[in-house]
Amino acid sequence: NAGVTQTPKFRILKIGQSMTLQCTQDMNHNYMYWYRQDPGMGLKLIYYSVGAGITDKGEVPNGYNVSRSTTEDFPLRLELAAPSQTSVYFCASSPAAPGELFFGEGSRLTVL
Amino acid sequence: AQSVSQHNHHVILSEAASLELGCNYSYGGTVNLFWYVQYPGQHLQLLLKYFSGDPLVKGIKGFEAEFIKSKFSFNLRKPSVQWSDTAEYFCAVNGNTGGFKTIFGAGTRLFVKA
């Protein structure tokens, strides 16, 4: 059972570069989320989606963009990477809202 | 604004000691409450949840939590911890007035000495 799959697991970026974190789920969940986890700060919601074609901002959306063209995929794009975006990023999905979240294994991003 | 507060950021216990981790929330409306656990090197997974009914809920690995509505609290407990409980624990809340967003606390790092 794959569940929620994130790629890549690790990435180092230079300041100003761009990249996309991929997230795919095979549970047919409508709701998907991107969080970032920083030490001592817990998880902060970046963006979320309630279904294909629908996305909305979370607590910390600046510097990020998302799209949701299919139920399965919810990529997170970083434009013009900054050191403040160094973090661990988690994608999650949920079958209902509000409800339990199912997490991917995370993507550790370092911006130098 | 909706928020979740976890009182202890770091807890160190010896094996067999009892555990209680505090969680308070600020949220208008009906709430769903969760505890997630993150073992070293792993992703977050659900420990237990409260949606409605009996305010004392039991989760995996002997954990339980009690929802006290009057205190806006959802504290996590375990009578006797094991070395394998070393992990970071997150309290989280969502509900019908928060849209589809789950808000997390800052987390509590638990270290259990063998």
Side-chain angles (χ1 to χ4, degrees):
Chain A
N1 297 332
V4 179
T5 302
Q6 292 180 233
T7 57
K9 288 186 168 49
F10 302 94
R11 183 73 186 268
I12 298 174
L13 283 181
K14 294 182 179 178
I15 294 172
Q17 288 186 319
S18 300
M19 75 159 296
T20 299
L21 298 176
Q22 302 290 346
C23 177
T24 299
Q25 54 94 6
D26 62 359
M27 298 175 283
N28 201 33
H29 289 172
N30 282 326
Y31 306 93
M32 296 188 74
Y33 308 81
W34 275 106
Y35 287 88
R36 59 177 287 172
Q37 182 185 24
D38 300 298
M41 302 293 290
L43 280 78
K44 298 296 184 185
L45 182 63
I46 305 171
Y47 270 95
Y48 65 101
S49 170
V50 303
I54 306 170
T55 63
D56 206 350
K57 296 177 180 179
E59 302 167 274
V60 289
N62 292 344
Y64 306 94
N65 278 300
V66 293
S67 59
R68 185 94 181 271
S69 57
T70 66
T71 298
E72 294 78 21
D73 300 308
F74 190 42
L76 176 72
R77 182 150 181 89
L78 283 72
E79 305 280 2
L80 299 175
S84 61
Q85 293 177 305
T86 294
S87 189
V88 180
Y89 293 83
F90 286 99
C91 180
S93 70
S94 180
E100 172 189 351
L101 298 176
F102 294 81
F103 285 88
E105 294 190 351
S107 300
R108 183 176 294 275
L109 175 67
T110 302
V111 182
L112 300 174
Chain B
Q2 298 139 4
S3 65
V4 178
S5 176
Q6 293 184 238
H7 312 305
N8 312 98
H9 294 297
H10 294 91
V11 174
I12 301 174
L13 294 173
S14 297
E15 276 194 314
S18 64
L19 170 71
E20 181 160 3
L21 301 182
C23 173
N24 286 92
Y25 63 92
S26 172
Y27 197 98
T30 304
V31 294
N32 301 312
L33 296 155
F34 307 83
W35 277 96
Y36 289 88
V37 59
Q38 187 178 28
Y39 296 104
Q42 298 187 25
H43 61 95
L44 281 86
Q45 56 188 284
L46 184 70
L47 197 56
L48 49 77
K49 61 187 177 186
Y50 172 81
F51 283 4
S52 64
D54 189 343
L56 183 63
V57 293
K58 297 190 183 299
I60 59 172
K61 303 186 180 183
F63 285 91
E64 64 179 31
E66 185 175 13
F67 170 52
I68 302 180
K69 189 175 182 180
S70 61
K71 295 185 177 181
F72 300 93
S73 71
F74 190 56
N75 292 353
L76 180 70
R77 299 193 293 248
K78 186 171 184 179
S80 176
V81 295
Q82 300 173 315
W83 176 80
S84 57
D85 293 324
T86 294
E88 189 160 17
Y89 294 82
F90 295 92
C91 182
V93 61
N94 61 32
N96 61 352
T97 60
F100 307 102
K101 294 177 281 191
T102 298
I103 305 299
F104 284 80
T108 297
R109 285 186 180 269
L110 171 66
F111 179 72
V112 179
K113 298 184 291 184

